[in-house]
Amino acid sequence: MPPEDNHYRPLQDFSLIGLRNLKIKNRLVISCLISTIFPLLFIYLYTYSLYGGSEITGQILVIALLMMGVALTMTLYTYLSISHPIDHMIQICQAISDGNLEMRIQDQGNDELSYLSDNIDGMVTEIQLLLEQRQLGEAKKRELELRMLQYQINPHFLFNTLNTLHLVAQMNQDRVVSEGIRSLSELLKNTLINDREFITIREEIDNLKHYFSIQTIRYAGSFHVNYEVDPELSDYLLPKLILQPLAENSVLHGSYNDGTVMEIHVSCRRTGKDILLEVRDEGKGFDMNDRSARPKGLGGIGNKNVNDRIHLYFSDDYGLTIDSRPGHGTCCSIRIPALDSDSKIQTMQGGTYVSGTDR
């Protein structure tokens, strides 16, 4: 590549930078003067120096004036054809910057300015859709938080009462009641006191064990739980309390209620970049194609809440699926991304997640 000639540098600076500092109207005037009026004036003066005030000089003057008029008219027309779309574009962009995202430029031309206008309109539409999605997501998140707050009660009063009942049960040597109260206290502590949105799989399984311990008091001997959890996944993160509604469905709707012990299997395994959690029971099951035969709990608030939370935290690629057959039990599966740190949660949610703290 040849070295740059410094002799042409001032001219380049003027043409690329100096002219950009002038308004379009002034640029067109300068262009018209340099390209049309000055040459015509030079031709007239040259003719006048040759022929003096003769008829030829007069004719050339008339022709020069006509050509200058045409040049000025074309310059004005060119200026208006450029300035009007730009002025309109500036007004619409100013309105959009003031928050009116319903405005669009809608240039009907077929030049570079119309192409630019179409791209700006497309970007504004995309921004509007993203803002609407964000607002819907925030509203849904606030609704879920409000729903959780509606079920909260004074934790200190509750735990003091449970501790008293736990001591009374121990004094009366009622091991089943004592264990049930202890499990209830631990479960409520993890749901009311711990305000983190994401907990480890180990903590979620512990919450599930406490839940089953409480249900054992009411449904003693009607079910038995087996756990198959990969120890390497114990410290991975997941949304809090997404397994309990599934366990509740198995206990309430899967049992035969005839004295048969129902087996419930809780599993957690890695599948590629995702984690698959399953709560499967060997209960009576139901026909997936018959809505009237489907237990109400499987379409109720609990499962919908789990699915909505997973979609809210991640995307529609993840969520809850249910498979059941009469006489073969029901399998509820949850697929979530494998997250081993809060930073990955922030990445998946666009940096909006903030981990909570234990009070």
Side-chain angles (χ1 to χ4, degrees):
M1 180 177 181
E4 184 178 1
D5 192 347
N6 293 328
H7 295 290
Y8 296 98
R9 185 70 183 181
L11 180 60
Q12 292 178 353
D13 291 341
F14 173 74
S15 60
L16 297 178
I17 300 176
L19 289 178
R20 288 299 304 274
N21 295 328
L22 299 177
K23 293 184 177 180
I24 294 177
K25 176 176 65 175
N26 296 333
R27 291 186 229 168
L28 291 175
V29 169
I30 293 175
S31 176
C32 180
L33 289 174
I34 295 175
S35 62
T36 305
I37 297 179
F38 285 169
L40 291 174
L41 182 61
F42 173 77
I43 291 174
Y44 171 73
L45 293 176
Y46 180 72
T47 304
Y48 186 82
S49 66
L50 292 178
Y51 301 101
S54 65
E55 183 179 352
I56 295 177
T57 304
Q59 292 176 351
I60 291 177
L61 176 61
V62 172
I63 294 174
L65 291 174
L66 290 175
M67 293 182 66
M68 284 190 288
V70 172
L72 290 174
T73 302
M74 293 301 298
T75 300
L76 178 62
Y77 176 78
T78 303
Y79 165 70
L80 294 177
S81 67
I82 297 175
S83 63
H84 281 184
I86 292 179
D87 290 340
H88 178 65
M89 190 183 304
I90 291 173
Q91 293 174 3
I92 298 300
C93 289
Q94 184 62 48
I96 292 172
S97 67
D98 291 338
N100 187 359
L101 296 180
E102 299 295 333
M103 299 293 291
R104 297 294 184 274
I105 300 174
Q106 295 181 341
D107 193 331
Q108 303 299 324
N110 191 28
D111 56 4
E112 292 83 353
L113 290 176
S114 65
Y115 176 77
L116 178 60
S117 300
D118 291 341
N119 279 272
I120 293 175
D121 287 345
M123 287 189 293
V124 174
T125 301
E126 186 70 21
I127 291 172
Q128 187 177 23
L129 291 175
L130 291 174
L131 287 176
E132 290 176 355
Q133 292 176 0
R134 180 180 178 183
Q135 291 173 353
L136 289 175
E138 290 294 329
K140 204 167 190 179
K141 188 174 182 180
R142 299 287 82 79
E143 181 183 351
L144 293 173
E145 291 176 350
L146 179 61
R147 190 177 299 172
M148 293 179 66
L149 288 174
Q150 290 173 347
Y151 293 100
Q152 288 186 356
I153 60 177
N154 191 317
H156 297 291
F157 170 77
L158 176 64
F159 292 128
N160 288 336
T161 304
L162 288 175
N163 287 332
T164 301
L165 295 175
H166 178 58
L167 291 174
V168 171
Q170 284 184 326
M171 292 172 61
N172 288 276
Q173 297 183 348
D174 193 333
R175 184 176 177 276
V176 175
V177 176
S178 175
E179 184 64 24
I181 293 175
R182 187 190 70 82
S183 295
L184 177 60
S185 179
E186 290 294 326
L187 182 60
L188 291 176
K189 182 175 69 175
N190 291 332
T191 56
L192 295 180
I193 301 299
N194 182 353
D195 66 346
R196 289 177 296 160
E197 297 181 28
F198 283 76
I199 60 177
T200 64
I201 292 177
R202 180 190 298 106
E203 292 173 316
E204 180 72 5
I205 295 299
D206 287 341
N207 289 336
L208 197 61
K209 290 179 179 178
H210 291 314
Y211 172 78
F212 280 127
S213 178
I214 296 168
Q215 293 292 58
T216 300
I217 299 176
R218 182 178 178 183
Y219 302 97
S222 64
F223 64 88
H224 178 263
V225 186
N226 304 283
Y227 297 93
E228 302 173 9
V229 181
D230 187 348
E232 295 182 355
L233 302 178
S234 297
D235 293 326
Y236 279 71
L237 300 175
L238 78 171
K240 181 171 60 177
L241 297 178
I242 61 174
L243 293 181
Q244 180 177 323
L246 312 185
E248 184 176 358
N249 288 331
S250 294
V251 173
L252 297 181
H253 306 293
S255 176
Y256 286 99
N257 298 320
D258 59 358
T260 303
V261 178
M262 177 181 63
E263 293 291 331
I264 299 177
H265 302 273
V266 179
S267 64
C268 175
R269 64 179 185 274
R270 182 80 176 260
T271 58
K273 295 183 179 180
D274 300 333
I275 290 179
L276 185 65
L277 301 127
E278 289 184 351
V279 177
R280 178 174 57 86
D281 65 68
E282 299 178 3
K284 53 188 177 182
F286 63 94
D287 187 356
M288 295 286 293
N289 298 320
D290 187 358
R291 288 187 172 272
S292 62
R294 181 179 299 185
K296 292 183 179 180
L298 290 173
I301 295 176
N303 286 343
K304 186 177 186 304
N305 184 276
V306 169
N307 208 31
D308 288 347
R309 287 172 62 201
I310 294 174
H311 289 169
L312 179 65
Y313 290 134
F314 308 116
S315 69
D316 293 344
D317 295 332
Y318 302 97
L320 169 66
T321 57
I322 300 174
D323 183 35
S324 183
R325 287 187 298 166
H328 292 80
T330 302
C331 179
C332 298
S333 304
I334 293 178
R335 180 177 295 274
I336 59 174
L339 304 171
D340 56 2
S341 65
D342 287 346
S343 60
K344 287 191 176 181
I345 299 174
Q346 294 173 353
T347 301
M348 293 206 63
Q349 297 183 330
T352 59
Y353 168 72
V354 178
S355 59
T357 57
D358 295 345
R359 287 180 284 200

